[in-house]
Amino acid sequence: SFGSSKWQAISTARAGDFSGVLSVSRFQWDGFRQQSAADQRLLNLATTWAPSERTQLDLRFLAANNPLQQNPGALNQREYDVNPDSAPANNILRNANNDVQQQQGSLSLRQRWSKWSGELQVAVFGLNRDISNPLATGPAGPPSVRGIYNEIDRRSGGVRASYAFRPGSDFRVPRFTVGMDYQQLRDERLNARSVSGAPIDSVLLQQKETVTEVGPFAQLRWTPHERLVVDAGGRYDWVTFNVEDEFFDDGVDNSGELPLNALNGSLGASYFVQEGFIPYASVSTAFETPTTTELVNQPGTTGGFNTSLQPQRTLAFELGVRGRPTAWLEYSADGFISRVTDAIVQYQEVGGRGYFTNAGEVRNAGIELNLTATPVRQVRAFVSFRYANFEFTDYKIERSVGGAQVIDTLDGNRVPGPPRYFTRIGLRTQPTPHLVLDLDHTLQSSLTGDDFNRTWVDNWGVGVTNFRASWQQTWKDFALLPYAGVNNLWDRTYIGSVLVNGALDRVLEPSPRRNFFVGLEVGFRTRSGPTGARQSPAEPVAH
């Protein structure tokens, strides 16, 4: 459906101490809405060298080329009622799109020692990303057909090292881990005016953004009793944002620096009463800095960072229980509550561009329940349920109305985006040795799309159902797996996601109506090596 197609090839191999996996794929589709076509190409390579049981060296590489990733944008209720397959005029007129090329790689070493059960892990990694992004946003000033062309040249990388050890052979002796992260990111950002998605010689913003992070950490795992496990950890982060303004036509140098530091920790414990009942509890703090995009997107200036945007800090508590009371039944139940101070929220969108601020305080509370049952070998069923009550407990917005400044108090309002209830039910059956049937059903309650709770998104009613059937047949060294399926089996009309605080009440992002797919996987294995050992084919990939 919708002109979608995907092909993928996977190969695995082993020779002596070396093993590897190579995968290439391409996904294309025309989209079920206007301005929603996509073309995504991916290459993955993973190799491992293990000369001994104590030494392992891993190399990972990924290359992605997504030359087409159109953005259809969100709709308001009136536009959705008239034609849910449409896109706002500015997204089409200005050819809102993403063209992304990315390469990333890592090299990691793991070395073990018998003394103190020591283990050293060192990893170095790097990433290169080039983004060309015509936006639906128009430049400041009178309305026009011109848009904004955003270009980001990103380089990032770092190193992580840790050493774990237990100074003794008794299981009650704690195991310690100490380590440190160092990372740096550099973005060359350029904004220019555009016509039909193509940049013209009219620069609006040009700057270099650098983020540097150093984070030493320590962890402890202690088993004071054979049934009790205690985990504790601490970390200190030094994060520095730096921006160099390279555009001076506005007569203002917006260069600057923003240092953000924090100490965080966690403490948790679990107790093994029996296989069917393992309670656990934890308390933790977290520190989340703004992203460079959140800092750059700011009203009233042409460049630099929004230095008034601060990191959000979280204090979280969790209490739960999990277990396997019988061989065919497994469950978990979890309750959580957290307080987020200076929560980073998108409070405004102008012309398709969102701006961010800190809400005073947000309280998140909820429960998660999971149950998996396999009463007979041919049947597996699972149910997951989540209740989430996210609300602002201290949030005030100052805005101008008729030339006067007013303050809106949003204390008690629901946080836009998350639904209060979400349920997923799944069933897998294997009526014959070759045939597998999968049924998946999801339900979601209503949610709000804006901080003021004036725009509401309806629930999914009786829910959305997906169905898939596959057949697996093997002949000696070959395997065939044809499959077919249908998504949104009952052809429901529903909203899959929302754009929070969208301009002109454009918050609705529709999901496809009933759609179909068919496919075929072919696997084979070869005999290689002096011993004629058989190589296993790659595990079939579920599309």
Side-chain angles (χ1 to χ4, degrees), residues 67-297:
L68 182 64
Q69 198 165 325
Q70 293 180 329
N71 175 20
L75 305 174
N76 58 36
Q77 189 65 54
R78 183 186 60 82
E79 293 167 335
Y80 176 73
D81 291 339
V82 173
N83 185 1
D85 299 341
S86 63
N90 283 339
N91 288 64
I92 300 173
L93 182 66
R94 294 168 178 159
N95 191 27
N97 181 30
N98 257 326
D99 181 354
V100 182
Q101 285 81 42
Q102 177 171 312
Q103 306 83 39
Q104 66 188 61
S106 69
L107 183 64
S108 60
L109 169 68
R110 175 179 294 180
Q111 178 67 53
R112 302 181 183 90
W113 288 275
S114 56
K115 184 178 181 181
W116 287 3
S117 301
E119 181 176 294
L120 174 68
Q121 295 188 50
V122 180
V124 293
F125 55 91
L127 177 144
N128 173 56
R129 179 186 296 170
D130 295 307
I131 304 174
S132 300
N133 182 205
L135 306 175
T137 309
S144 71
V145 298
R146 292 186 177 182
I148 294 178
Y149 178 85
N150 173 241
E151 189 174 272
I152 300 176
D153 178 10
R154 171 168 294 178
R155 304 289 184 272
S156 69
V159 60
R160 175 186 175 92
S162 67
Y163 180 69
F165 63 96
R166 172 181 284 147
S169 57
D170 192 287
F171 74 90
R172 288 168 293 192
V173 175
R175 181 174 178 82
F176 299 93
T177 301
V178 294
M180 178 175 288
D181 288 328
Y182 171 81
Q183 304 177 75
Q184 188 172 74
L185 177 145
R186 188 228 65 191
D187 281 349
E188 293 276 3
R189 188 184 300 266
L190 173 70
N191 286 355
R193 288 184 174 87
S194 65
V195 175
S196 299
I200 59 177
D201 190 18
S202 182
V203 175
L204 299 170
L205 177 148
Q206 186 173 3
Q207 61 189 32
K208 180 190 294 184
E209 302 155 11
T210 306
V211 186
T212 305
E213 184 266 344
V214 177
F217 59 88
Q219 296 173 325
L220 164 71
R221 167 157 285 200
W222 181 33
T223 311
H225 185 273
E226 60 182 6
R227 294 178 178 269
L228 177 64
V229 178
V230 178
D231 288 288
R235 177 187 178 96
Y236 196 91
D237 283 286
W238 286 275
V239 185
T240 302
F241 290 82
N242 185 279
V243 57
E244 297 179 31
D245 194 347
E246 300 174 343
F247 176 67
F248 301 104
D249 288 6
D250 58 0
V252 179
D253 185 356
N254 292 295
S255 301
E257 186 175 278
L258 180 64
L260 303 171
N261 307 320
L263 173 66
N264 290 284
S266 65
L267 177 64
S270 64
Y271 189 82
F272 185 92
V273 178
Q274 58 182 18
E275 187 71 26
F277 188 74
I278 306 173
Y280 58 90
S282 70
V283 57
S284 62
T285 63
F287 163 74
E288 183 177 342
T289 68
T291 67
T292 54
T293 298
E294 291 168 345
L295 289 168
V296 168
N297 286 2

Side-chain angles (χ1 to χ4, degrees), residues 296-497:
V296 168
N297 286 2
Q298 53 179 324
T301 184
T302 56
F305 282 154
N306 180 3
T307 55
S308 65
L309 187 61
Q310 295 298 307
Q312 68 179 29
R313 301 168 190 269
T314 304
L315 173 62
F317 300 89
E318 184 179 12
L319 181 65
V321 61
R322 63 180 181 270
R324 185 189 290 271
T326 69
W328 58 271
L329 184 65
E330 186 175 0
Y331 76 95
S332 66
D334 184 275
F336 63 89
I337 185 169
S338 65
R339 185 186 66 184
V340 185
T341 55
D342 293 327
I344 299 172
V345 297
Q346 179 179 310
Y347 75 102
Q348 182 184 11
E349 187 183 275
V350 177
R353 189 180 188 189
Y355 302 112
F356 299 84
T357 190
N358 294 108
E361 187 175 288
V362 173
R363 185 182 63 195
N364 301 331
I367 58 173
E368 295 182 356
L369 306 174
N370 297 281
L371 181 68
T372 302
T374 311
V376 293
R377 188 176 63 86
Q378 296 84 0
V379 177
R380 177 179 179 269
F382 71 86
V383 178
S384 62
F385 170 79
R386 184 183 69 217
Y387 166 80
N389 182 20
F390 296 177
E391 64 178 28
F392 298 112
T393 53
D394 180 12
Y395 186 20
K396 296 173 176 59
I397 297 178
E398 184 177 348
R399 60 191 179 103
S400 178
V401 178
Q405 293 298 113
V406 300
I407 296 179
D408 294 308
T409 300
L410 306 184
D411 301 2
N413 280 16
R414 289 258 302 268
V415 174
R420 182 152 287 182
Y421 302 97
F422 184 85
T423 304
R424 184 182 178 194
I425 305 169
L427 177 66
R428 163 169 283 204
T429 64
Q430 191 171 358
T432 75
H434 303 290
L435 178 63
V436 177
L437 305 176
D438 287 288
L439 195 65
D440 183 272
H441 188 75
T442 52
L443 301 100
Q444 178 175 293
S445 66
S446 60
L447 55 90
T448 182
D450 69 308
D451 293 345
F452 289 88
N453 291 182
R454 292 185 297 223
T455 304
W456 286 87
V457 180
D458 292 337
N459 60 50
W460 292 1
V462 296
V464 179
T465 305
N466 301 321
F467 175 75
R468 184 180 190 270
S470 61
W471 182 277
Q472 185 164 1
Q473 185 69 54
T474 59
W475 296 275
K476 295 184 179 179
D477 293 336
F478 289 87
L480 289 179
L481 181 68
Y483 59 88
V486 54
N487 294 320
N488 196 357
L489 179 64
W490 311 116
D491 201 25
R492 306 293 184 195
T493 300
Y494 70 104
I495 302 300
S497 61

